[in-house]
Amino acid sequence: MSSTESEPEEAITKEEITQQVSAPPPPPGKMGSSSQTATATKPRNAFTELMKPKPHPPPPDSKHSHPSTASKLTRAFKDRDGLGAYLADPKAFPSSRVIYHNEGFVAIHDLYPKASVHTLLLPRSTKHNRLHPFDAFEDIEFLATVRVETDRLKNLVAKELKRRFGSGSRKEIEREQALATAGEDSDETQLPPGRDWLAEVKVGIHLHPSMSHLHVHVFSRDMHSPCLKHRKHYNSFNTPFLVDLADFPIPKDDPRRHPRLGYLDRDLVCWRCGKNFTNKFKALKEHLEKEFEEWKTE
Ligand code: AMP
């Protein structure tokens, strides 16, 4: 794929491919200083917390990142090859972009997030990472490593949701109150479990990816983002265009292997209440704002 034109069956726009649309500011407080936290403990950044027990290689933060190298890389890896920049030198990027990296993977924040937390997992294996996901995940051993790492990132996204929205969540408040009443000797089995944040995280791969390097989307299902601007943005994450990682390897006779299934042109259906907005994107966007406010308080 070398064209910068976006095809009808692609989830992103030409402006996103060529980075001609401005990206939103990095996640609030670099994922770390929000006062919205469910517990009385100091608010912490779930992503940087993960890095703590792993002193080698050093966590990618502003102390270790190299802004000039990062911008050179961004210029060198253009358009559909843009994700290659993070694979080439993840250390060059700040933690507001690269969440973590290890021998096998680089985890990043999506540049144009379509949900309140939207990350991408990029496998580093050069044997696999320029293949179409259908082909790359025919390799069962490789698929198994991607599943393990995706679970790790999924847990981080869930922790980040709790950090951002926990203080307003009814289930978290119930738990906090029960904990406060029971005191330090509280019996965990008797306490309300709190909110299942993992259930709010989706993991999948677009049937027809736009970016050349293999990537797994790991994101919160709220669809709350200023970057969500088109029907195809929404439908690419809320129709079978998004293939759950659990579905791989995809059987040879699976209809999803047919590239032109029209998933992106489907009616717009609210992920939360199921209301059909047909092709009225603006109405869906307004509705999603209300759903988001309610979803946060669950
Ligand atoms: P897709 O290829 O359809 O799975 O989507 C590619 C994803 O990559 C989209 O969610 C884009 O917002 C995201 N994206 C595009 N360019 C970049 C970039 N340079 N850095 C980070 N994310 C990007």
Side-chain angles (χ1 to χ4, degrees):
M1 271 188 293
S2 61
S3 161
T4 55
E5 289 297 325
S6 169
E7 295 170 28
E9 279 293 317
E10 283 188 323
I12 68 176
T13 61
K14 179 185 174 182
E15 290 71 28
E16 288 167 321
I17 294 169
T18 54
Q19 293 193 31
Q20 280 168 1
V21 58
S22 54
K30 274 177 66 187
M31 296 279 181
S33 55
S34 168
S35 56
Q36 293 176 315
T37 182
T39 62
T41 54
K42 217 167 86 187
R44 284 172 178 205
N45 176 338
F47 294 112
T48 47
E49 279 300 296
L50 174 95
M51 292 296 93
K52 274 194 163 170
K54 293 192 170 291
H56 182 74
D61 58 23
S62 47
K63 274 189 226 126
H64 300 95
S65 66
H66 307 288
S68 61
T69 318
S71 46
K72 271 186 212 146
L73 285 165
T74 307
R75 281 197 300 277
F77 289 88
K78 288 217 297 238
D79 304 333
R80 294 180 189 277
D81 283 339
L83 301 180
Y86 309 108
L87 295 164
D89 190 0
K91 292 189 302 304
F93 293 87
S95 57
S96 55
R97 181 63 48 211
V98 170
I99 303 163
Y100 71 86
H101 58 94
N102 55 34
E103 215 179 306
F105 298 89
V106 180
I108 64 167
H109 291 287
D110 195 293
L111 190 61
Y112 304 113
K114 308 302 187 303
S116 57
V117 184
H118 185 174
T119 69
L120 300 175
L121 183 71
L122 315 176
R124 295 179 96 166
S125 161
T126 48
K127 185 176 162 202
H128 303 94
N129 72 7
R130 302 284 296 204
L131 298 178
H132 188 284
F134 289 158
D135 299 325
F137 295 141
E138 293 285 304
D139 180 339
I140 303 298
E141 274 178 34
F142 172 65
L143 176 60
T145 64
V146 175
R147 287 210 170 109
V148 169
E149 198 67 30
T150 304
D151 278 347
R152 184 183 185 207
L153 185 55
K154 190 176 174 186
N155 274 289
L156 281 181
V157 170
K159 280 189 190 149
E160 177 61 10
L161 288 175
K162 180 173 175 176
R163 185 186 73 82
R164 284 201 208 171
F165 305 126
S167 64
S169 156
R170 181 177 46 76
K171 288 183 188 145
E172 293 292 350
I173 293 167
E174 266 169 27
R175 179 177 165 84
E176 286 301 309
Q177 286 172 345
L179 258 172
T181 311
E184 277 184 13
D185 301 328
S186 55
D187 174 359
E188 181 62 38
T189 60
Q190 302 298 313
L191 290 171
R195 187 162 174 186
D196 180 5
W197 295 100
L198 272 178
E200 309 295 348
V201 184
K202 287 170 82 170
V203 168
I205 287 166
H206 282 158
L207 268 186
H208 186 36
S210 306
M211 301 302 275
S212 326
H213 294 87
L214 188 62
H215 53 279
V216 184
H217 293 267
V218 182
F219 60 103
S220 55
R221 61 182 179 151
D222 52 83
M223 296 291 110
H224 175 77
S225 168
C227 294
L228 190 90
K229 293 178 179 165
H230 301 281
R231 167 146 77 168
K232 66 185 194 170
H233 283 158
Y234 183 79
N235 275 348
S236 68
F237 293 103
N238 292 281
T239 67
F241 191 86
L242 183 81
V243 185
D244 196 311
L245 192 61
D247 292 357
F248 285 91
I250 304 291
K252 293 279 183 261
D253 59 351
D254 191 295
R256 288 172 294 182
R257 281 185 180 266
H258 196 288
R260 306 244 171 246
L261 286 167
Y263 291 127
L264 301 181
D265 295 330
R266 280 189 176 182
D267 281 0
L268 294 160
V269 177
C270 172
W271 67 270
R272 193 159 180 265
C273 72
K275 185 171 173 189
N276 188 331
F277 288 83
T278 60
N279 61 353
K280 295 182 180 58
F281 182 75
K282 192 164 170 280
L284 171 77
K285 264 297 263 191
E286 282 164 17
H287 176 79
L288 287 177
E289 293 303 303
K290 291 188 199 123
E291 290 289 16
F292 179 61
E293 292 309 314
E294 283 180 27
W295 171 79
K296 283 193 292 186
T297 64
E298 276 180 24

